[in-house]
Structure formats: C-alpha cells, structure tokens
Amino acid sequence: TGIHTYHVSLYRGNSGKTNIRRTGLGLKMCSTVVPDACAELGRKYRVEIVKRAETLQVFVDGKLIHHYVDIGVYGPAPMKGRFGIRHFSAQALESQYEAFEVRALNAK
C-alpha cells in the first residue's frame, strides 16, 4: 500500500500467462498475455522493460510481449521511482539474474 509503481509477473507457474499490474491502492491489472513467454523452466531469458512517459513495454528474447499505455484510469501514471519483477509459482521456484542494468533513455 502506498507504493505507486508497476510490476511485471513473468513465470506464473502453470497459469500460462504473464501480467503487468499497477500498485497503489490495490493491485490493478493493466495487461495480460497468453502464452507466457517465460514458461520454460531451466533456460535463460533476456528480458527488457522499457518505460517512456506513459508507455510501458516488455520484451522477452527480443520479442515484444506487452505494450501498455497508462491513460490515467488509476490516477496519474508513475513517471519515476521503483519497478518490481515478480515470479509466482505454487511449487518451489529459483530465479537468477545476470547483467541486470537500469539506465535512463534519452528523450526523443
């Protein structure tokens, strides 16, 4: 509560989908994609999350899987701050991250 940001749910167990949600006063579903682009266990994925102004994009292995434009239905779109990545599974799940990088993009 009180953290206004987005989070991306990648591997979601056997659900077969991936989501973008917006936090704040509750969790608001912004985008759902089927099939889950990160459904195969035991392999590496290249995930890129791009946020420019009100637009949020998620790429997995170079393929665009989410394109969400926040038009302010849940209040003004967050323009700075934190971003969350969530892995969800009913069974034990181990995740590893390599070459994690956060950088500012040049305004165009």
Side-chain angles (χ1 to χ4, degrees):
T1 301
I3 300 172
H4 298 281
T5 189
Y6 304 96
H7 84 246
V8 175
S9 297
L10 295 169
Y11 177 76
R12 290 179 38 88
N14 295 326
S15 73
K17 59 186 168 185
T18 176
N19 298 320
I20 295 176
R21 293 181 188 254
R22 184 162 164 193
T23 67
L25 298 174
L27 278 175
K28 310 298 185 192
M29 185 66 70
C30 299
S31 176
T32 300
V33 172
V34 176
D36 182 357
C38 296
E40 186 181 334
L41 292 176
R43 69 163 284 219
K44 292 182 182 180
Y45 296 95
R46 176 173 166 64
V47 177
E48 183 177 5
I49 300 168
V50 178
K51 169 75 168 63
R52 284 193 179 181
E54 292 84 10
T55 301
L56 179 64
Q57 295 176 312
V58 179
F59 298 84
V60 174
D61 293 335
K63 179 181 176 187
L64 178 66
I65 63 165
H66 287 283
H67 181 97
Y68 173 70
V69 178
D70 193 332
I71 61 170
V73 172
Y74 306 118
M79 294 298 167
K80 62 181 180 177
R82 296 176 176 93
F83 199 100
I85 299 173
R86 177 181 182 220
H87 296 269
F88 173 83
S89 178
Q91 65 270 12
L93 177 66
E94 180 180 320
S95 299
Q96 298 177 353
Y97 298 89
E98 295 177 11
F100 188 86
E101 179 182 353
V102 177
R103 61 188 164 108
L105 298 175
N106 295 329
K108 292 186 178 182

